[in-house]
Amino acid sequence: MLVSIHLFLRHDEFSNIKVNDIQRDLSIFKDDIIEALAIRVCGKTDKIWRTLILWRKDDVPEFCPIRHVLSYVHLAGIENGYLFPNL
């Protein structure tokens, strides 16, 4: 939910994000820390894919979307396919 809130995504846009939609070349890394993740999304009325930036939030780590996404990906063992599969 944090990712969806920070990127202003609808449920269908959020649930269609795949691991390959994370663009490493546009993401921001600083001293082995991920400062921002670039994620490709296609909105409801968009004709083309858009790249949105998900920023790190250090002031309140409990609500940092990057920490939550990376923890989830690691614990769920997701390597490819949908980032948030429909169980």
Side-chain angles (χ1 to χ4, degrees), residues 3 14-16 18-19 26 31-32 34 38-40 42 48-49 51-52 58 68-70 75 77 83-84 87:
V3 174
F14 171 72
S15 62
N16 288 331
K18 295 183 180 180
V19 174
L26 296 177
D31 299 328
D32 294 332
I34 300 173
I39 302 175
R40 286 181 346 127
C42 189
I48 60 171
W49 288 83
T51 301
L52 302 177
D58 285 331
H68 282 267
V69 166
L70 296 179
L75 293 173
L83 194 58
F84 305 102
L87 300 176

PDB file of all heavy atoms in Angstrom, residues 3 14-16 18-19 26 31-32 34 38-40 42 48-49 51-52 58 68-70 75 77 83-84 87:
ATOM      1  N   VAL A   3       3.666   1.823  -1.486  1.00  0.00           N
ATOM      2  CA  VAL A   3       4.114   2.109  -2.851  1.00  0.00           C
ATOM      3  C   VAL A   3       2.983   2.759  -3.637  1.00  0.00           C
ATOM      4  O   VAL A   3       3.176   3.763  -4.307  1.00  0.00           O
ATOM      5  CB  VAL A   3       4.594   0.822  -3.552  1.00  0.00           C
ATOM      6  CG1 VAL A   3       4.920   1.085  -5.001  1.00  0.00           C
ATOM      7  CG2 VAL A   3       5.785   0.238  -2.822  1.00  0.00           C
ATOM      8  N   PHE A  14      -1.195  -0.685  -9.711  1.00  0.00           N
ATOM      9  CA  PHE A  14      -0.297  -1.193  -8.676  1.00  0.00           C
ATOM     10  C   PHE A  14      -0.095  -2.702  -8.798  1.00  0.00           C
ATOM     11  O   PHE A  14       1.014  -3.209  -8.706  1.00  0.00           O
ATOM     12  CB  PHE A  14      -0.892  -0.832  -7.313  1.00  0.00           C
ATOM     13  CG  PHE A  14      -0.219  -1.454  -6.145  1.00  0.00           C
ATOM     14  CD1 PHE A  14       1.036  -1.033  -5.752  1.00  0.00           C
ATOM     15  CD2 PHE A  14      -0.845  -2.444  -5.418  1.00  0.00           C
ATOM     16  CE1 PHE A  14       1.660  -1.596  -4.658  1.00  0.00           C
ATOM     17  CE2 PHE A  14      -0.228  -3.012  -4.336  1.00  0.00           C
ATOM     18  CZ  PHE A  14       1.027  -2.582  -3.948  1.00  0.00           C
ATOM     19  N   SER A  15      -1.163  -3.427  -9.036  1.00  0.00           N
ATOM     20  CA  SER A  15      -1.072  -4.891  -9.091  1.00  0.00           C
ATOM     21  C   SER A  15      -0.423  -5.399 -10.379  1.00  0.00           C
ATOM     22  O   SER A  15      -0.039  -6.561 -10.440  1.00  0.00           O
ATOM     23  CB  SER A  15      -2.454  -5.522  -8.929  1.00  0.00           C
ATOM     24  OG  SER A  15      -3.302  -5.126  -9.984  1.00  0.00           O
ATOM     25  N   ASN A  16      -0.272  -4.547 -11.380  1.00  0.00           N
ATOM     26  CA  ASN A  16       0.347  -4.963 -12.644  1.00  0.00           C
ATOM     27  C   ASN A  16       1.842  -4.663 -12.724  1.00  0.00           C
ATOM     28  O   ASN A  16       2.458  -4.878 -13.760  1.00  0.00           O
ATOM     29  CB  ASN A  16      -0.366  -4.293 -13.824  1.00  0.00           C
ATOM     30  CG  ASN A  16      -1.738  -4.879 -14.051  1.00  0.00           C
ATOM     31  OD1 ASN A  16      -1.982  -6.035 -13.760  1.00  0.00           O
ATOM     32  ND2 ASN A  16      -2.653  -4.066 -14.530  1.00  0.00           N
ATOM     33  N   LYS A  18       5.599  -5.312 -12.546  1.00  0.00           N
ATOM     34  CA  LYS A  18       6.460  -6.493 -12.615  1.00  0.00           C
ATOM     35  C   LYS A  18       7.870  -6.129 -12.160  1.00  0.00           C
ATOM     36  O   LYS A  18       8.237  -4.953 -12.117  1.00  0.00           O
ATOM     37  CB  LYS A  18       6.516  -7.035 -14.042  1.00  0.00           C
ATOM     38  CG  LYS A  18       5.188  -7.564 -14.532  1.00  0.00           C
ATOM     39  CD  LYS A  18       5.320  -8.157 -15.905  1.00  0.00           C
ATOM     40  CE  LYS A  18       3.968  -8.689 -16.359  1.00  0.00           C
ATOM     41  NZ  LYS A  18       4.042  -9.277 -17.678  1.00  0.00           N
ATOM     42  N   VAL A  19       8.643  -7.135 -11.816  1.00  0.00           N
ATOM     43  CA  VAL A  19      10.026  -6.915 -11.389  1.00  0.00           C
ATOM     44  C   VAL A  19      10.800  -6.195 -12.488  1.00  0.00           C
ATOM     45  O   VAL A  19      11.610  -5.300 -12.208  1.00  0.00           O
ATOM     46  CB  VAL A  19      10.695  -8.258 -11.021  1.00  0.00           C
ATOM     47  CG1 VAL A  19      12.166  -8.077 -10.721  1.00  0.00           C
ATOM     48  CG2 VAL A  19       9.979  -8.891  -9.836  1.00  0.00           C
ATOM     49  N   LEU A  26      17.770   4.209 -14.164  1.00  0.00           N
ATOM     50  CA  LEU A  26      17.230   5.500 -13.767  1.00  0.00           C
ATOM     51  C   LEU A  26      17.099   5.653 -12.250  1.00  0.00           C
ATOM     52  O   LEU A  26      16.815   6.737 -11.758  1.00  0.00           O
ATOM     53  CB  LEU A  26      15.862   5.734 -14.417  1.00  0.00           C
ATOM     54  CG  LEU A  26      15.856   5.816 -15.941  1.00  0.00           C
ATOM     55  CD1 LEU A  26      14.430   5.967 -16.446  1.00  0.00           C
ATOM     56  CD2 LEU A  26      16.713   6.970 -16.415  1.00  0.00           C
ATOM     57  N   ASP A  31      26.428   5.555  -2.304  1.00  0.00           N
ATOM     58  CA  ASP A  31      27.182   4.809  -1.290  1.00  0.00           C
ATOM     59  C   ASP A  31      26.488   3.495  -0.916  1.00  0.00           C
ATOM     60  O   ASP A  31      26.263   3.197   0.254  1.00  0.00           O
ATOM     61  CB  ASP A  31      27.400   5.658  -0.031  1.00  0.00           C
ATOM     62  CG  ASP A  31      28.200   6.908  -0.315  1.00  0.00           C
ATOM     63  OD1 ASP A  31      29.069   6.856  -1.210  1.00  0.00           O
ATOM     64  OD2 ASP A  31      27.955   7.918   0.346  1.00  0.00           O
ATOM     65  N   ASP A  32      26.110   2.705  -1.904  1.00  0.00           N
ATOM     66  CA  ASP A  32      25.439   1.415  -1.721  1.00  0.00           C
ATOM     67  C   ASP A  32      24.079   1.524  -1.017  1.00  0.00           C
ATOM     68  O   ASP A  32      23.603   0.562  -0.430  1.00  0.00           O
ATOM     69  CB  ASP A  32      26.332   0.432  -0.972  1.00  0.00           C
ATOM     70  CG  ASP A  32      27.562   0.050  -1.775  1.00  0.00           C
ATOM     71  OD1 ASP A  32      27.484   0.087  -3.020  1.00  0.00           O
ATOM     72  OD2 ASP A  32      28.586  -0.291  -1.163  1.00  0.00           O
ATOM     73  N   ILE A  34      20.056   2.754  -1.692  1.00  0.00           N
ATOM     74  CA  ILE A  34      19.095   3.134  -2.729  1.00  0.00           C
ATOM     75  C   ILE A  34      18.356   4.385  -2.259  1.00  0.00           C
ATOM     76  O   ILE A  34      17.625   4.349  -1.276  1.00  0.00           O
ATOM     77  CB  ILE A  34      18.112   1.992  -3.012  1.00  0.00           C
ATOM     78  CG1 ILE A  34      18.860   0.758  -3.485  1.00  0.00           C
ATOM     79  CG2 ILE A  34      17.082   2.428  -4.041  1.00  0.00           C
ATOM     80  CD1 ILE A  34      17.991  -0.473  -3.624  1.00  0.00           C
ATOM     81  N   ALA A  38      13.172   3.895  -9.731  1.00  0.00           N
ATOM     82  CA  ALA A  38      12.392   4.310 -10.899  1.00  0.00           C
ATOM     83  C   ALA A  38      11.536   3.117 -11.332  1.00  0.00           C
ATOM     84  O   ALA A  38      12.058   2.027 -11.550  1.00  0.00           O
ATOM     85  CB  ALA A  38      13.315   4.741 -12.026  1.00  0.00           C
ATOM     86  N   ILE A  39      10.233   3.337 -11.416  1.00  0.00           N
ATOM     87  CA  ILE A  39       9.294   2.263 -11.748  1.00  0.00           C
ATOM     88  C   ILE A  39       8.451   2.687 -12.934  1.00  0.00           C
ATOM     89  O   ILE A  39       7.859   3.776 -12.943  1.00  0.00           O
ATOM     90  CB  ILE A  39       8.384   1.940 -10.544  1.00  0.00           C
ATOM     91  CG1 ILE A  39       9.233   1.534  -9.342  1.00  0.00           C
ATOM     92  CG2 ILE A  39       7.394   0.851 -10.896  1.00  0.00           C
ATOM     93  CD1 ILE A  39       8.457   1.319  -8.075  1.00  0.00           C
ATOM     94  N   ARG A  40       8.383   1.805 -13.952  1.00  0.00           N
ATOM     95  CA  ARG A  40       7.557   2.062 -15.135  1.00  0.00           C
ATOM     96  C   ARG A  40       6.120   1.636 -14.854  1.00  0.00           C
ATOM     97  O   ARG A  40       5.888   0.542 -14.360  1.00  0.00           O
ATOM     98  CB  ARG A  40       8.041   1.253 -16.333  1.00  0.00           C
ATOM     99  CG  ARG A  40       9.277   1.720 -16.965  1.00  0.00           C
ATOM    100  CD  ARG A  40       9.708   0.905 -18.170  1.00  0.00           C
ATOM    101  NE  ARG A  40       9.041  -0.373 -18.326  1.00  0.00           N
ATOM    102  CZ  ARG A  40       8.424  -0.767 -19.440  1.00  0.00           C
ATOM    103  NH1 ARG A  40       8.422  -0.008 -20.495  1.00  0.00           N
ATOM    104  NH2 ARG A  40       7.843  -1.941 -19.509  1.00  0.00           N
ATOM    105  N   CYS A  42       1.899   2.036 -16.515  1.00  0.00           N
ATOM    106  CA  CYS A  42       1.015   2.475 -17.592  1.00  0.00           C
ATOM    107  C   CYS A  42      -0.337   2.752 -16.961  1.00  0.00           C
ATOM    108  O   CYS A  42      -1.007   1.844 -16.463  1.00  0.00           O
ATOM    109  CB  CYS A  42       0.899   1.410 -18.679  1.00  0.00           C
ATOM    110  SG  CYS A  42       0.025   1.997 -20.140  1.00  0.00           S
ATOM    111  N   ILE A  48       1.285   5.557 -23.435  1.00  0.00           N
ATOM    112  CA  ILE A  48       2.670   5.096 -23.329  1.00  0.00           C
ATOM    113  C   ILE A  48       3.000   4.834 -21.853  1.00  0.00           C
ATOM    114  O   ILE A  48       2.287   5.274 -20.949  1.00  0.00           O
ATOM    115  CB  ILE A  48       3.662   6.127 -23.907  1.00  0.00           C
ATOM    116  CG1 ILE A  48       3.548   7.462 -23.158  1.00  0.00           C
ATOM    117  CG2 ILE A  48       3.435   6.333 -25.393  1.00  0.00           C
ATOM    118  CD1 ILE A  48       4.618   8.457 -23.514  1.00  0.00           C
ATOM    119  N   TRP A  49       4.083   4.120 -21.620  1.00  0.00           N
ATOM    120  CA  TRP A  49       4.552   3.853 -20.272  1.00  0.00           C
ATOM    121  C   TRP A  49       5.197   5.103 -19.698  1.00  0.00           C
ATOM    122  O   TRP A  49       5.884   5.841 -20.397  1.00  0.00           O
ATOM    123  CB  TRP A  49       5.557   2.704 -20.272  1.00  0.00           C
ATOM    124  CG  TRP A  49       4.908   1.387 -20.527  1.00  0.00           C
ATOM    125  CD1 TRP A  49       4.579   0.858 -21.745  1.00  0.00           C
ATOM    126  CD2 TRP A  49       4.482   0.444 -19.555  1.00  0.00           C
ATOM    127  NE1 TRP A  49       3.982  -0.361 -21.585  1.00  0.00           N
ATOM    128  CE2 TRP A  49       3.911  -0.644 -20.241  1.00  0.00           C
ATOM    129  CE3 TRP A  49       4.536   0.406 -18.162  1.00  0.00           C
ATOM    130  CZ2 TRP A  49       3.399  -1.754 -19.585  1.00  0.00           C
ATOM    131  CZ3 TRP A  49       4.027  -0.698 -17.520  1.00  0.00           C
ATOM    132  CH2 TRP A  49       3.465  -1.762 -18.220  1.00  0.00           C
ATOM    133  N   THR A  51       7.548   6.709 -16.319  1.00  0.00           N
ATOM    134  CA  THR A  51       8.464   6.339 -15.248  1.00  0.00           C
ATOM    135  C   THR A  51       8.202   7.231 -14.045  1.00  0.00           C
ATOM    136  O   THR A  51       8.228   8.454 -14.162  1.00  0.00           O
ATOM    137  CB  THR A  51       9.927   6.483 -15.695  1.00  0.00           C
ATOM    138  OG1 THR A  51      10.137   5.633 -16.834  1.00  0.00           O
ATOM    139  CG2 THR A  51      10.866   6.069 -14.596  1.00  0.00           C
ATOM    140  N   LEU A  52       7.917   6.600 -12.908  1.00  0.00           N
ATOM    141  CA  LEU A  52       7.681   7.324 -11.665  1.00  0.00           C
ATOM    142  C   LEU A  52       8.818   7.014 -10.694  1.00  0.00           C
ATOM    143  O   LEU A  52       9.383   5.923 -10.713  1.00  0.00           O
ATOM    144  CB  LEU A  52       6.342   6.907 -11.050  1.00  0.00           C
ATOM    145  CG  LEU A  52       5.109   7.108 -11.928  1.00  0.00           C
ATOM    146  CD1 LEU A  52       3.867   6.574 -11.221  1.00  0.00           C
ATOM    147  CD2 LEU A  52       4.925   8.572 -12.264  1.00  0.00           C
ATOM    148  N   ASP A  58      13.823   8.803   5.049  1.00  0.00           N
ATOM    149  CA  ASP A  58      14.629   8.520   6.229  1.00  0.00           C
ATOM    150  C   ASP A  58      14.098   9.162   7.503  1.00  0.00           C
ATOM    151  O   ASP A  58      14.471   8.755   8.596  1.00  0.00           O
ATOM    152  CB  ASP A  58      16.073   8.960   6.008  1.00  0.00           C
ATOM    153  CG  ASP A  58      16.831   8.018   5.097  1.00  0.00           C
ATOM    154  OD1 ASP A  58      16.496   6.822   5.070  1.00  0.00           O
ATOM    155  OD2 ASP A  58      17.744   8.475   4.408  1.00  0.00           O
ATOM    156  N   HIS A  68      10.222  -1.085   2.645  1.00  0.00           N
ATOM    157  CA  HIS A  68       9.153  -2.082   2.647  1.00  0.00           C
ATOM    158  C   HIS A  68       9.195  -2.952   1.388  1.00  0.00           C
ATOM    159  O   HIS A  68       9.051  -4.175   1.467  1.00  0.00           O
ATOM    160  CB  HIS A  68       7.790  -1.403   2.782  1.00  0.00           C
ATOM    161  CG  HIS A  68       7.477  -0.987   4.175  1.00  0.00           C
ATOM    162  ND1 HIS A  68       6.774  -1.768   5.046  1.00  0.00           N
ATOM    163  CD2 HIS A  68       7.803   0.140   4.857  1.00  0.00           C
ATOM    164  CE1 HIS A  68       6.662  -1.164   6.208  1.00  0.00           C
ATOM    165  NE2 HIS A  68       7.276   0.012   6.116  1.00  0.00           N
ATOM    166  N   VAL A  69       9.380  -2.338   0.238  1.00  0.00           N
ATOM    167  CA  VAL A  69       9.422  -3.102  -1.017  1.00  0.00           C
ATOM    168  C   VAL A  69      10.605  -4.069  -1.030  1.00  0.00           C
ATOM    169  O   VAL A  69      10.456  -5.242  -1.355  1.00  0.00           O
ATOM    170  CB  VAL A  69       9.487  -2.161  -2.246  1.00  0.00           C
ATOM    171  CG1 VAL A  69       9.865  -2.913  -3.492  1.00  0.00           C
ATOM    172  CG2 VAL A  69       8.168  -1.473  -2.436  1.00  0.00           C
ATOM    173  N   LEU A  70      11.778  -3.578  -0.656  1.00  0.00           N
ATOM    174  CA  LEU A  70      12.960  -4.438  -0.687  1.00  0.00           C
ATOM    175  C   LEU A  70      12.870  -5.559   0.340  1.00  0.00           C
ATOM    176  O   LEU A  70      13.273  -6.694   0.062  1.00  0.00           O
ATOM    177  CB  LEU A  70      14.220  -3.607  -0.480  1.00  0.00           C
ATOM    178  CG  LEU A  70      14.518  -2.589  -1.581  1.00  0.00           C
ATOM    179  CD1 LEU A  70      15.770  -1.809  -1.254  1.00  0.00           C
ATOM    180  CD2 LEU A  70      14.624  -3.250  -2.937  1.00  0.00           C
ATOM    181  N   LEU A  75      12.023 -11.303   1.418  1.00  0.00           N
ATOM    182  CA  LEU A  75      11.355 -12.332   2.224  1.00  0.00           C
ATOM    183  C   LEU A  75      10.463 -13.244   1.386  1.00  0.00           C
ATOM    184  O   LEU A  75      10.352 -14.442   1.679  1.00  0.00           O
ATOM    185  CB  LEU A  75      10.536 -11.678   3.331  1.00  0.00           C
ATOM    186  CG  LEU A  75      11.353 -10.970   4.409  1.00  0.00           C
ATOM    187  CD1 LEU A  75      10.435 -10.210   5.362  1.00  0.00           C
ATOM    188  CD2 LEU A  75      12.215 -11.964   5.165  1.00  0.00           C
ATOM    189  N   GLY A  77      11.036 -13.940  -1.757  1.00  0.00           N
ATOM    190  CA  GLY A  77      11.874 -14.636  -2.733  1.00  0.00           C
ATOM    191  C   GLY A  77      11.476 -14.356  -4.172  1.00  0.00           C
ATOM    192  O   GLY A  77      11.656 -15.199  -5.046  1.00  0.00           O
ATOM    193  N   LEU A  83       5.476  -8.152  -9.212  1.00  0.00           N
ATOM    194  CA  LEU A  83       6.033  -7.743  -7.929  1.00  0.00           C
ATOM    195  C   LEU A  83       5.069  -8.045  -6.789  1.00  0.00           C
ATOM    196  O   LEU A  83       5.461  -8.477  -5.715  1.00  0.00           O
ATOM    197  CB  LEU A  83       6.356  -6.244  -7.974  1.00  0.00           C
ATOM    198  CG  LEU A  83       7.232  -5.690  -6.873  1.00  0.00           C
ATOM    199  CD1 LEU A  83       8.574  -6.408  -6.839  1.00  0.00           C
ATOM    200  CD2 LEU A  83       7.456  -4.212  -7.084  1.00  0.00           C
ATOM    201  N   PHE A  84       3.776  -7.831  -7.033  1.00  0.00           N
ATOM    202  CA  PHE A  84       2.743  -8.112  -6.052  1.00  0.00           C
ATOM    203  C   PHE A  84       1.734  -9.076  -6.657  1.00  0.00           C
ATOM    204  O   PHE A  84       0.666  -8.667  -7.112  1.00  0.00           O
ATOM    205  CB  PHE A  84       2.063  -6.811  -5.624  1.00  0.00           C
ATOM    206  CG  PHE A  84       3.009  -5.770  -5.126  1.00  0.00           C
ATOM    207  CD1 PHE A  84       3.376  -4.706  -5.937  1.00  0.00           C
ATOM    208  CD2 PHE A  84       3.577  -5.873  -3.873  1.00  0.00           C
ATOM    209  CE1 PHE A  84       4.261  -3.743  -5.484  1.00  0.00           C
ATOM    210  CE2 PHE A  84       4.477  -4.926  -3.414  1.00  0.00           C
ATOM    211  CZ  PHE A  84       4.813  -3.861  -4.221  1.00  0.00           C
ATOM    212  N   LEU A  87      -2.560 -13.532  -4.883  1.00  0.00           N
ATOM    213  CA  LEU A  87      -2.550 -14.850  -4.246  1.00  0.00           C
ATOM    214  C   LEU A  87      -3.917 -15.470  -4.258  1.00  0.00           C
ATOM    215  O   LEU A  87      -4.130 -16.588  -3.981  1.00  0.00           O
ATOM    216  CB  LEU A  87      -2.012 -14.732  -2.818  1.00  0.00           C
ATOM    217  CG  LEU A  87      -0.584 -14.176  -2.733  1.00  0.00           C
ATOM    218  CD1 LEU A  87      -0.200 -14.016  -1.255  1.00  0.00           C
ATOM    219  CD2 LEU A  87       0.390 -15.101  -3.420  1.00  0.00           C
TER     220      LEU A  87
END
